[in-house]
Amino acid sequence: MPTDTTPPGGITPEQARTALAEAEEVRTSTTALSATPWPAWFAVCLTLYSAALPIAYGGVMADEDWLLPRPAWIGVLLLMVLLFTGLFAVAARNWRHRTGVALRLDVLPKRATVPLFIGLPAILIGSAVAFRTTGWPGWLVGAALLAGATSIGFHLAFVRLHRKSA
Amino acid sequence: MTAKSRGEDVMAGFDGIVHAPNRLRICALLDTAGEAEFGAVQEQLGVSASVLSKHVTVLMDAGYVAQRKAVRATRQRVWLRMTSEGVAAYRGHLAALRAIVGP
């Protein structure tokens, strides 16, 4: 980088460094605020929903009736999605009011979120297809455990990030 | 492009409106948060409502910040966010500051 360009406004390197440090400090504290974890009640709902989704989807996709008739599984799945959407709306509104900042999905690093957004749908569909092909419900149970564990893991990641940055 | 002209390009990003300390901090907060409520900005930055209001007005007049009003529990809340011009100005300003600091 050249050094023979006159700094605008007569800003010295030291002043520029101070300004950058102030901006970084605000960025860190704001990141902590944006990483405020969900309240416990919604973290539990999210984990239960994540774990139940592969089971219900597997029931819908089953080659023949499994535990419940297919229309019942469709009803369960729709009810779950509607209930979760409603709870999410309430939790998101309360979260925004409590923190005073927008809800963002890009607070965690991309190396964590990209595999999540690709991996979870793949697990959901993959387990249902595997169950439909083999008839072995272990695929669905495994996917449910994995999805539930992922939900807990992400909640703990937010808790840690929030504490670390605060 | 020579190193000198590259340096001049970066320096051109220096923005006197953004550079004022409180405005730089407001921009840093809004760039990170996406959107923030006036009271939350005030609390995070530790400034009075009148000081924040004054700086926000300057940023809004420059087209760098936009506001949205929302009612919560019968009280009106103001939410602030950076415009795309504001984001570009803020990031250009940071690049200019880094260039001034040097390698």
Side-chain angles (χ1 to χ4, degrees):
Chain A
M1 189 60 65
T3 53
D4 56 348
T5 308
T6 308
I11 304 297
T12 65
E14 192 50 47
Q15 286 170 325
R17 194 174 289 116
T18 303
L20 284 170
E22 281 181 7
E24 180 58 25
E25 191 183 322
V26 172
R27 195 192 66 76
T28 304
S29 66
T30 309
T31 300
L33 193 60
S34 296
T36 302
W38 290 116
W41 72 265
F42 187 70
V44 171
C45 288
L46 184 58
T47 301
L48 291 176
Y49 175 74
S50 304
L53 202 55
I55 305 285
Y57 189 62
V60 172
M61 289 281 286
D63 203 17
E64 53 194 48
D65 286 352
W66 174 65
L67 301 178
L68 293 173
R70 179 175 289 174
W73 278 121
I74 293 172
V76 167
L77 188 62
L78 287 176
L79 194 66
M80 275 172 51
V81 172
L82 281 176
L83 186 64
F84 178 75
T85 306
L87 291 174
F88 176 77
V90 170
R93 194 186 61 200
N94 290 345
W95 187 94
R96 276 167 50 85
H97 288 166
R98 189 157 59 95
T99 60
V101 293
L103 183 61
R104 299 186 74 154
L105 298 175
D106 57 352
V107 176
L108 289 179
K110 280 191 178 138
R111 66 176 185 276
T113 51
V114 170
L116 175 77
F117 288 123
I118 296 170
L120 275 188
I123 288 168
L124 178 69
I125 294 168
S127 63
V129 169
F131 172 61
R132 185 185 168 92
T133 308
T134 64
W136 185 55
W139 290 108
L140 303 181
V141 174
L145 290 174
L146 198 58
T150 304
S151 170
I152 292 168
F154 266 76
H155 181 71
L156 294 177
F158 272 103
V159 169
R160 200 171 63 173
L161 181 63
H162 182 63
R163 283 184 186 154
K164 191 175 127 189
S165 310
Chain B
M1 187 183 281
T2 64
K4 184 177 178 181
S5 64
R6 271 201 304 275
E8 284 168 354
D9 283 349
V10 173
M11 292 298 186
F14 187 93
D15 192 310
I17 294 170
V18 173
H19 187 67
N22 279 325
R23 291 202 283 273
L24 182 69
R25 295 169 74 220
I26 293 167
C27 290
L29 190 152
L30 295 179
D31 185 49
T32 308
E35 190 181 38
E37 203 259 317
F38 188 92
V41 178
Q42 198 189 328
E43 193 178 323
Q44 282 287 305
L45 302 186
V47 294
S48 68
S50 60
V51 167
L52 179 59
S53 182
K54 189 181 82 177
H55 288 298
V56 166
T57 301
V58 173
L59 291 168
M60 284 175 62
D61 288 346
Y64 290 172
V65 166
Q67 68 173 23
R68 173 176 70 83
K69 290 178 180 171
V71 177
R72 179 191 157 204
T74 71
R75 287 184 63 186
Q76 196 175 62
R77 308 281 172 155
V78 175
W79 285 77
L80 305 168
R81 66 173 174 80
M82 297 267 273
T83 61
S84 52
E85 283 175 11
V87 171
Y90 170 65
R91 292 182 184 175
H93 184 71
L94 287 188
L97 289 177
R98 288 191 194 104
I100 292 169
V101 169

